[in-house]
Amino acid sequence: MEFNIKQGSLATIKTGCLVVGISEAKSLSGPAAELDKACNGQISAAVKQGDISGKAGQSLMLFGLPGISAQRLLLLGTGKDEPLSDRAYRKLVQKLSATLKDGGAADALLTLPSVAVKDRDLYSRTRLLVETLRESLYQFDQFKSQKASKPKLKKCLLWSANKAEADQLAKAISHGQAISDGTDLTRTLGNQPGNICTPSHLAKEARALAKAHKELEVEVLEEKDMKALGMGSLLSVSAGSAEPAKLIRFSYQGGKAKDKPHMLVGKGITFDTGGISLKPGLNMDEMKYDMCGAATVFGVVKAVVSLKLPINLVCLVAAAENMPSGTATKPGDIVTSMSGQTIEILNTDAEGRLVLCDALTYAERFKPASVVDIATLTGACIVALGSNVSGLMGNNEALVQKLLDAGKQADDRAWELPLYDEYQEQLDSPFADIANIGGPKAGTITAGCFLSRFTKAYPWAHLDIAGTAWISGGKDKGATGRPVPMLVQYLLDQAKA
Ligand code: BES
Ligand code: MN
Ligand code: ZN
């Protein structure tokens, strides 16, 4: 979808569909009032006749109004005459998108940036508009022989009252498009099935991304390289699989050579059967999504490169497939991680932390300013926080706060869980330095505790996206692309600081 800015008098702009908000207030205001005048009160007449009251989500399509150059005028109810919540605004935009998608117009002019949203300025609500529209237009039909029909709508014009507004809109469009391009990539990688999206496939995609952007460098460590580095924990996960593990590194230099890099580390389990601690069969197909942390890294990298952010960014993707077989790791096996700490693997289904811990130790050599790992790590996180909010833990208050703030700003939120010392004891093992599971209580936190043993050298935070990375079952099943918006916002904020 293309977005452009349009200034000028609303009544005379030529477009397939002009979209105007109408609130439940007694009298029309803003663009609606301006247009009502131009068409001799046809809009207020429609309101008076009860064709539209302004209730949120209501819509009315009018054709060929006198005095208005647009072919169609779409009135969109915005509810009570007060700023909308993020959620209400998104719902409104989704409704608009559904109407436009099935409608006849190839282009539309939206005056929606003039609708007020709580705690959001023009830039911020316009970005949300762009991202929400793009989100609703995403399709995944790579494996359908009958491709989904493309929506007729190709172009959105955003109306601005003046030059200063136009600058805000331009920034919102460019940021929103970059974030959406990243989110789309994350969704597509997530939606691809485990037989296609293997660790090798991720490595290939990484090389393709780097080839398209010369500021981006990629290196792929093979199993023999990881063995030489002592990554016994990561390799214990791929031991049962015919697919070799890959440790992918992206390096982007947008800042000065001496600037310490920010780092992202993604869990890339391209399929999680549980290994010898085999998962039950119900919904096991959804464990193709167990690489959504990795997919998030790809999406963020794509966005950062296209935004040309003036920061240095190093990303690691720990990619492996978790399978049961004669060569698989068994419960009770003890492995030695790259950090030197020994790990008793009591449950081979707690494999995410096993690949991440070696990647997190490897991260030390890049002397990072901060490290954020992203992982579909625990089912317990879905129990604790549900599907709308990601779990967040860390060893650095300032970093955690920045991520919370970025999540709020991007409407892609996280909530902090306590990483208190008391929980660490749950990881004690009689035979090794640490066990890979901490029992039934506080499973998300003990997973965070496990990672914390490997991240003492730098400010670190961990995002558990088990609940937020994809929508489970049902007709809306699919990857969400979260938390790409949060992390790009975080990096935008770092670029400003
Ligand atoms: N990938 C799963 C976590 C998961 C499960 C995410 C369901 C989303 C939906 C992870 O590897 C896992 O299996 N975790 C175990 C940990 C347990 C063995 C301590 C879990 O959550 O059950
Ligand atoms: Mn698992
Ligand atoms: Zn997993």
Side-chain angles (χ1 to χ4, degrees):
M1 173 73 62
E2 207 183 298
F3 288 90
N4 282 304
I5 300 162
K6 192 85 185 172
Q7 292 185 56
S9 138
L10 278 173
T12 58
I13 296 175
K14 287 206 174 62
T15 171
C17 185
L18 172 53
V19 181
V20 179
I22 296 234
S23 80
E24 288 175 84
K26 288 263 154 7
S27 57
L28 297 175
S29 63
E34 183 185 330
L35 286 161
D36 193 40
K37 236 183 266 158
C39 68
N40 277 324
Q42 299 260 12
I43 299 176
S44 41
V47 174
K48 203 181 244 152
Q49 288 169 47
D51 289 58
I52 186 161
S53 68
K55 243 178 74 191
Q58 241 188 358
S59 67
L60 179 66
M61 189 78 92
L62 300 169
F63 291 87
L65 288 191
I68 293 182
S69 304
Q71 283 179 309
R72 303 168 186 78
L73 179 68
L74 179 65
L75 302 177
L76 192 63
T78 59
K80 297 211 172 53
D81 198 20
E82 56 191 41
L84 298 173
S85 67
D86 286 351
R87 190 170 167 76
Y89 188 67
R90 271 194 192 263
K91 281 198 167 156
L92 192 70
V93 177
Q94 282 157 1
K95 176 80 203 246
L96 168 67
S97 172
T99 308
L100 290 178
K101 222 168 23 181
D102 299 335
D107 73 305
L109 175 65
L110 313 185
T111 60
L112 239 44
S114 65
V115 172
V117 182
K118 239 174 267 163
D119 300 325
R120 291 198 182 271
D121 60 14
L122 179 65
Y123 157 80
S124 159
R125 60 185 188 254
T126 304
R127 204 179 94 188
L128 197 59
L129 168 69
V130 170
E131 289 174 35
T132 308
L133 279 173
R134 284 283 310 268
E135 177 183 40
S136 64
L137 293 171
Y138 172 86
Q139 290 174 332
F140 180 71
D141 57 8
Q142 191 182 335
F143 297 96
K144 294 268 198 194
S145 22
Q146 230 36 313
K147 300 294 176 201
S149 59
K150 298 261 175 302
K152 195 164 172 206
L153 188 74
K154 295 278 174 305
K155 233 196 291 211
C156 269
L157 297 171
L158 303 184
W159 180 74
S160 87
N162 54 52
K163 175 74 175 77
E165 275 199 20
D167 290 346
Q168 293 301 304
L169 294 181
K171 192 168 103 178
I173 291 173
S174 117
H175 289 184
Q177 290 280 49
I179 291 168
S180 299
D181 289 343
T183 305
D184 283 1
L185 173 60
T186 300
R187 294 175 79 176
T188 293
L189 289 173
N191 286 331
Q192 285 171 341
N195 62 327
I196 302 291
C197 188
T198 58
S200 305
H201 177 81
L202 287 177
K204 201 177 90 206
E205 288 286 316
R207 291 197 180 98
L209 196 58
K211 206 159 182 192
H213 302 280
K214 64 175 189 332
E215 315 84 326
L216 197 61
E217 185 205 342
V218 164
E219 182 189 23
V220 179
L221 300 190
E222 306 294 336
E223 289 197 340
K224 64 172 182 349
D225 306 317
M226 293 186 255
K227 196 160 179 211
L229 286 162
M231 296 184 170
S233 181
L234 193 159
L235 291 170
S236 77
V237 175
S238 61
S241 171
E243 295 289 341
K246 307 272 171 179
L247 183 64
I248 304 164
R249 171 177 62 84
F250 288 106
S251 293
Y252 162 80
Q253 212 195 70
K256 300 193 188 70
K258 67 165 187 5
D259 292 349
K260 286 181 163 186
H262 294 286
M263 287 192 72
L264 302 176
V265 178
K267 170 179 172 181
I269 300 297
T270 58
F271 197 81
D272 180 13
T273 65
I276 296 297
S277 313
L278 192 64
K279 286 182 179 297
L282 187 70
N283 296 337
M284 204 211 268
D285 67 289
E286 296 193 5
M287 283 298 113
K288 72 174 182 179
Y289 290 115
D290 212 17
M291 37 59 74
C292 281
T296 296
V297 166
F298 277 76
V300 174
V301 165
K302 181 163 183 162
V304 165
V305 171
S306 89
L307 289 169
K308 298 191 174 14
L309 289 191
I311 56 165
N312 294 335
L313 181 67
V314 175
C315 297
L316 300 174
V317 166
E321 187 184 63
N322 188 21
M323 294 288 278
S325 79
T327 57
T329 300
K330 305 171 293 298
D333 284 1
I334 295 177
V335 297
T336 304
S337 67
M338 184 183 176
S339 73
Q341 296 174 87
T342 57
I343 303 166
E344 186 184 17
I345 300 177
L346 290 173
N347 189 320
T348 63
D349 198 11
E351 85 297 338
R353 61 199 81 182
L354 296 175
V355 297
L356 286 172
C357 71
D358 279 340
L360 288 165
T361 300
Y362 187 65
E364 284 179 22
R365 65 183 54 198
F366 302 99
K367 305 203 167 19
S370 69
V371 179
V372 180
D373 78 72
I374 311 107
T376 49
L377 206 60
T378 64
C381 192
I382 313 174
V383 177
L385 296 174
S387 304
N388 290 304
V389 178
S390 302
L392 174 59
M393 285 143 271
N395 65 10
N396 183 289
E397 259 180 61
L399 175 58
V400 166
Q401 193 56 50
K402 282 179 194 163
L403 289 164
L404 288 171
D405 292 345
K408 209 165 166 189
Q409 181 66 35
D411 193 29
D412 178 10
R413 279 168 306 170
W415 192 258
E416 188 183 7
L417 298 173
L419 211 53
Y420 296 150
D421 285 345
E422 284 83 343
Y423 296 102
Q424 294 283 355
E425 294 163 18
Q426 289 179 236
L427 295 173
D428 289 350
S429 156
F431 304 118
D433 298 339
I434 180 173
N436 82 323
I437 53 171
K441 290 181 177 175
T444 303
I445 296 173
T446 52
C449 286
F450 183 94
L451 298 177
S452 77
R453 308 275 183 117
F454 300 86
T455 56
K456 299 205 158 109
Y458 43 70
W460 156 78
H462 158 60
L463 282 164
D464 193 328
I465 59 167
T468 51
W470 76 93
I471 294 169
S472 192
K475 71 169 184 12
D476 291 331
K477 184 172 182 176
T480 61
R482 293 181 63 187
V484 170
M486 176 206 301
L487 289 170
V488 176
Q489 182 64 50
Y490 163 68
L491 294 172
L492 277 167
D493 294 343
Q494 297 316 295
K496 246 188 258 157

